[in-house]
Amino acid sequence: QVQLMESGGGLVQAGGSLRLSCAASGNIFRINAMGWYRQAPGEQRELVAVITSGGQTNHADSVKGRFTISGDNAKTTVYLQMDSLKPEDTAVYFCQGNFLSRSGTGVYWGRGTQVTVSS
């Protein structure tokens, strides 16, 4: 069974930093990509950043220059370094993984971690 476990959320003042982590575990044969999404109250879930198994990254325009996605050497853990945080970054942040597992290729989600930025 594939699992994604997020950590690192919390409350921070505007201009501060947080680092989110997401660890993948289970019967994963191949990691195609992992990424971070966020969902603010009353809003749709949106892509924040993604990293492929080859190390290519893509960041949403709203976070470029402030957030950085990275992965460990085994690519089983991804991080989201969030700097210069703004109140509009407040949301639940979800980790997503695109994996090949015993069940085939699929998309998996973590439970989410709350990030709150106070003004």
Side-chain angles (χ1 to χ4, degrees):
Q1 183 177 358
V2 176
Q3 288 187 324
L4 293 172
M5 183 66 68
E6 302 116 331
S7 61
L11 172 65
V12 64
Q13 288 187 330
S17 298
L18 283 174
R19 190 189 196 208
L20 305 183
S21 299
C22 173
S25 62
N27 294 316
I28 299 171
F29 298 156
R30 185 179 71 237
I31 296 176
N32 296 319
M34 292 182 70
W36 290 95
Y37 286 71
R38 67 185 182 186
Q39 188 168 18
E43 302 289 334
Q44 290 188 333
R45 192 171 296 188
E46 63 176 3
L47 172 70
V48 177
V50 64
I51 184 168
T52 69
S53 59
Q56 293 177 317
T57 63
N58 187 36
H59 296 78
D61 288 343
S62 59
V63 305
K64 280 182 180 176
R66 300 188 299 120
F67 292 10
T68 304
I69 190 170
S70 62
D72 64 0
N73 288 335
K75 302 296 191 294
T76 57
T77 301
V78 290
Y79 307 96
L80 185 68
Q81 178 65 42
M82 304 186 294
D83 299 318
S84 302
L85 282 159
K86 303 176 181 179
E88 50 263 44
D89 294 318
T90 295
V92 178
Y93 283 69
F94 296 90
C95 179
Q96 185 210 63
N98 184 309
F99 306 133
L100 173 64
S101 70
R102 182 178 299 177
S103 303
T105 298
V107 174
Y108 299 85
W109 292 91
R111 292 187 174 184
T113 184
Q114 177 71 46
V115 172
T116 302
V117 185
S118 63
S119 58

